Amino acid sequence: MSLIQNLIFGLEMGSYIAIAAIGFTIIYGIVNMINFAYGEYMTIGAFVGWFAMSEFSLPLAAAIPVVIVVSAILGWVISRIVFVPNHDAGPIPLLLISIGLGFVLRNGYRILLGGSPRYFDMSPTTFRFDSLGFFVTTRHLTIIAIGLVSFLAIHLLLTRTDAGIAMRATSDNEKLSTISGIYTDKIRRNVWLLSSGLAGLSGFMLATSTAATPLTGFHQILLVLSAAILGGAGSAYGAIAGAYIIGLTVTLAGSYLPGEFANLGTMFAFVILIVVLLIRPTGIADVEEA
Amino acid sequence: MSELTAKISELWTESPLNYLRVGALVTILSVVYLFSGLQAGYPGWVLLVFNVLIVNFVLYGILLLGLNLQYGYAGIVNFGPVLFFALGAYTVALVSAESTFSDLGMGMPWYVGVAAALVVVLVVAFILSLSTIQLRGDYLAVVTLAGAEIFHEMAAGLPATLGGNQGIPGIPRIFHDIAPDAFTAGLAAFGALTGLLIISYAVMQRLGESPFGRVLRGIRDDETAVEFLGKDIFSYKIKTFLIGSVPMGLAGAFLGLINGGVAPGFITIDVTVLVWVGMLIGGAGSNRGALVGLLIISSFQLFTRFANQSIPVGSNTFASLRLMAVGLLMILIIVYRPQGLFGDPDKLEVDA
């Protein structure tokens, strides 16, 4: 495969990983927990999207807001029950709770929805550039575009709205924010809405290119985590950069490594993660900002 | 009669040395029985119970003792114990397997495989701990988990090196190759490995009571204070990680020698979660408590396996329900009883 082709695949992967990584890292910054059930929040979006498009025959453009809203509400309800009452338990107990929750949700999906994959009818239009040795489909372009629009929306949310500024303040210094009159408890409760909505959108984008299964999000969790940590825990902009690095690494590794090592694309993301944690636990961005 | 019991209780104090004797006795008796050629006769469901318990309680129990030393005593959040379990299993396979259709495995004697497994486990544990042990608790959890995931991916993705999804068959089955039938092998294996579990318990218990163990508890509760007393925290943590990884690798090695093969399905994150849940139910920091916790979990699994025959749901649904229950249990324990059933709430502050 040509380099350009790999870059396109890498950008596509980077786009959905980035959206998930932002949602993941926001929770890390504000609630101070690593949410290992985040992949299951992504899976919600994949199935909501599938029902919206296949059962209710909505077009893609109409399905996206439905996915975001429904995933946000469902994720928020789950978090209100499981995480919010335990926000002050400390990072390790919260991590263990999230691992337990992941088990419950994953297997719950399997019982409710069955294990068989559900495919999306995307019927992509393909643009071929054979002289340059690559092709692009409308689906690639759509996913990359959704990514860019989401980044802009999140940027505006974090810099131009009171809620976003309060979120960044809480992420930076919770005690100081409380003293300054920000309702940090309210922020910590409701940030789950944003995080779950982003997870759902990401899961949906991912599922359109593969399929919706009970394990859709679970297979991505370590990639998302790698992207978030690479970008510096709690930094939304770092998470975007980290996600594209991960996406390109996985794609290029899968394409250029010899023989059976080509199967190990995702493994290199974890290797990057470990190396980064060892050299710079604060991430590559190293700015203490959400 | 009362004199006799008094004498026995006089001899039998709750000391690790006594456990060591009992464990060694059980192992030796099982091995003698295995070579005696006597055939065991018992119903088929008992064999099923043995087979489930050998893996889900005895081998995971040995693994758990190592994890409990790391987390329960020293507060090292190792969320990848299955990595060392996997390294043990795969090393035995690569060194001792004699596979006919994949040319993996060198066909060495099984004990050479076990020795090699321990060397590999120690080397990997040393490299990993040297670089990560100073990380914050949740970061350490992430790194160990990612490490386990990397190995799982390698095992599944490299057919020519590690057998791929098919795994590596042809490992010598140390009990089944000698015993006349499966029932005899099951009984002997259960006995010998239970003995090994008791021995491991004795060793870990003794270690925990020693000055070394006291320093570890100090590190868990207040690192700064222990450092102030002039202890080298870093080297203590490395040693703990190394010692704890030995039973993990040993359990993995015996998994290979019981099953006669290894595959990626044996080394998933589920193993990590089961062992952690067992430890948390019983109470981290107490070897006996953690083992009882694991026994509760494995009995639950055993019980539900039989119960499925009388409940009208498909076996897939049932497996999912069982894992849901394990996850739910994990949440409930952390929320309502973080010290577990037998843990001491003052001793274990779960927050890192």
Side-chain angles (χ1 to χ4, degrees):
Chain A
M1 272 204 298
S2 73
L3 179 64
I4 302 179
Q5 187 70 73
N6 279 316
L7 289 179
I8 291 167
F9 290 157
L11 284 176
E12 182 200 13
M13 183 171 179
S15 300
Y16 67 74
I17 297 277
I19 292 179
I22 296 168
F24 181 92
T25 211
I26 283 176
I27 289 295
Y28 190 89
I30 291 178
V31 185
N32 198 12
M33 72 170 281
I34 289 176
N35 180 8
F36 252 102
Y38 195 75
E40 278 59 55
Y41 285 55
M42 290 166 71
T43 308
I44 293 177
F47 278 105
V48 171
W50 185 85
F51 278 105
M53 288 181 77
S54 300
E55 303 287 298
F56 297 94
S57 350
L58 291 178
L60 181 72
I64 290 174
V66 172
V67 166
I68 296 176
V69 171
V70 176
S71 313
I73 292 170
L74 285 175
W76 179 76
V77 169
I78 294 170
S79 310
R80 278 305 292 265
I81 297 168
V82 181
F83 292 125
V84 173
N86 304 302
H87 268 178
D88 298 327
I92 298 291
L94 280 168
L95 178 88
L96 297 174
I97 291 173
S98 73
I99 286 173
L101 177 67
F103 260 65
V104 173
L105 292 177
R106 234 179 359 261
N107 291 290
Y109 300 154
R110 201 175 277 151
I111 294 170
L112 290 175
L113 304 157
S116 51
R118 294 162 193 240
Y119 297 99
F120 287 74
D121 180 20
M122 293 295 282
S123 42
T125 316
T126 308
F127 308 102
R128 288 203 158 278
F129 300 89
D130 286 336
S131 54
L132 299 171
F134 72 96
F135 66 90
V136 189
T137 66
T138 40
R139 203 199 61 227
H140 296 140
L141 295 174
T142 309
I143 288 187
I144 294 173
I146 293 174
L148 294 176
V149 171
S150 311
F151 302 153
L152 185 65
I154 288 163
H155 171 73
L156 292 175
L157 172 79
L158 288 177
T159 52
R160 302 290 159 87
T161 66
D162 286 353
I165 291 166
M167 271 196 279
R168 277 164 52 212
T170 309
S171 178
D172 268 358
N173 189 331
E174 199 202 329
K175 286 197 175 78
L176 195 59
S177 308
T178 313
I179 293 167
S180 318
I182 295 172
Y183 289 115
T184 48
D185 276 357
K186 200 168 143 190
I187 298 277
R188 289 169 85 194
R189 276 201 304 272
N190 295 332
V191 72
W192 286 104
L193 269 173
L194 176 62
S195 177
S196 312
L198 289 169
L201 176 60
S202 167
F204 173 58
M205 287 157 72
L206 156 72
T208 54
S209 57
T210 52
T213 74
L215 296 176
T216 294
F218 178 64
H219 287 317
Q220 305 297 319
I221 180 65
L222 279 170
L223 292 175
V224 173
L225 180 81
S226 305
I229 287 186
L230 196 56
S235 157
Y237 303 110
I240 297 173
Y244 282 111
I245 293 173
I246 295 281
L248 291 168
T249 306
V250 170
T251 319
L252 293 172
S255 179
Y256 290 104
L257 286 171
E260 60 177 15
F261 288 92
N263 303 336
L264 302 184
T266 25
M267 195 192 94
F268 283 86
F270 311 150
V271 174
I272 293 178
L273 161 77
I274 291 183
V275 170
V276 168
L277 271 177
L278 296 183
I279 299 171
R280 290 189 74 139
T282 45
I284 43 178
D286 203 17
V287 279
E288 292 288 303
E289 269 186 65
Chain B
M1 192 65 212
S2 61
E3 277 174 35
L4 186 67
T5 46
K7 205 162 180 66
I8 288 175
S9 63
E10 204 175 302
L11 279 174
W12 176 260
T13 49
E14 281 281 324
S15 80
L17 187 63
N18 274 328
Y19 278 103
L20 192 66
R21 288 178 189 141
V22 171
L25 188 69
V26 172
T27 307
I28 291 165
L29 283 178
S30 306
V31 173
V32 167
Y33 164 72
L34 178 67
F35 282 98
S36 70
L38 290 170
Q39 286 200 20
Y42 50 84
W45 65 267
V46 178
L47 182 63
L48 179 67
V49 170
F50 278 161
N51 287 341
V52 172
L53 283 185
I54 282 175
V55 177
N56 283 355
F57 176 64
V58 181
L59 289 180
Y60 288 2
I62 295 172
L63 174 89
L64 174 60
L65 288 166
L67 180 66
N68 193 40
L69 180 79
Q70 292 175 347
Y71 177 72
Y73 279 83
I76 298 169
V77 190
N78 178 358
F79 225 88
V82 72
L83 168 65
F84 302 99
F85 186 71
L87 286 170
Y90 271 80
T91 309
V92 160
L94 288 173
V95 173
S96 299
E98 291 185 62
S99 182
T100 43
F101 58 91
S102 70
D103 55 355
L104 292 170
M106 294 185 257
M108 305 266 228
W110 68 269
Y111 43 87
V112 178
V114 174
L118 290 181
V119 171
V120 169
V121 162
L122 282 171
V123 169
V124 173
F126 184 64
I127 294 169
L128 201 65
S129 62
L130 206 58
S131 45
T132 59
I133 209 91
Q134 295 294 65
L135 287 175
R136 250 176 55 187
D138 46 359
Y139 280 0
L140 185 62
V142 167
V143 169
T144 46
L145 191 120
E149 219 41 47
I150 286 173
F151 188 80
H152 183 262
E153 187 121 350
M154 279 167 63
L158 301 176
T161 319
L162 292 170
N165 276 320
Q166 303 307 315
I168 304 173
I171 303 173
R173 301 180 76 185
I174 45 179
F175 296 100
H176 297 74
D177 291 348
I178 296 168
D181 59 26
F183 290 90
T184 312
L187 183 62
F190 185 70
L193 290 172
T194 304
L196 191 66
L197 174 66
I198 299 169
I199 293 171
S200 311
Y201 171 81
V203 171
M204 288 297 166
Q205 195 62 21
R206 180 73 193 88
L207 198 65
E209 290 169 6
S210 69
F212 179 83
R214 280 205 297 278
V215 173
L216 295 189
R217 287 184 182 184
I219 289 175
R220 185 192 64 202
D221 294 339
D222 191 345
E223 217 171 284
T224 323
V226 179
E227 197 148 27
F228 187 72
L229 293 171
K231 304 284 182 197
D232 181 357
I233 304 238
F234 187 65
S235 87
Y236 268 96
K237 280 188 170 178
I238 300 258
K239 281 177 198 159
T240 307
F241 205 83
L242 286 177
I243 298 169
S245 68
V246 169
M248 296 176 188
L250 205 61
F254 277 102
L255 177 82
L257 295 169
I258 295 273
N259 275 331
V262 290
F266 292 125
I267 58 165
T268 59
I269 187 178
D270 297 7
V271 178
T272 296
V273 172
L274 271 178
V275 173
W276 263 89
V277 172
M279 179 169 72
L280 293 169
I281 290 177
S286 149
N287 285 323
R288 195 181 312 182
L291 285 175
V292 171
L294 185 67
L295 187 62
I296 292 171
I297 280 278
S298 46
S299 310
F300 168 73
Q301 291 202 295
L302 196 63
F303 175 73
T304 49
R305 189 167 294 210
F306 287 110
N308 191 14
Q309 292 158 1
S310 54
I311 297 174
V313 290
S315 61
N316 281 343
T317 307
F318 203 82
S320 298
L321 277 171
R322 205 160 60 179
L323 287 169
M324 273 178 94
V326 170
L328 194 61
L329 198 58
M330 183 142 179
I331 298 173
L332 294 174
I333 291 166
I334 296 286
V335 173
Y336 294 106
R337 206 175 158 79
Q339 76 274 24
L341 292 175
F342 311 99
D344 178 353
D346 304 336
K347 257 192 341 200
L348 196 74
E349 295 183 23
V350 202
D351 39 355

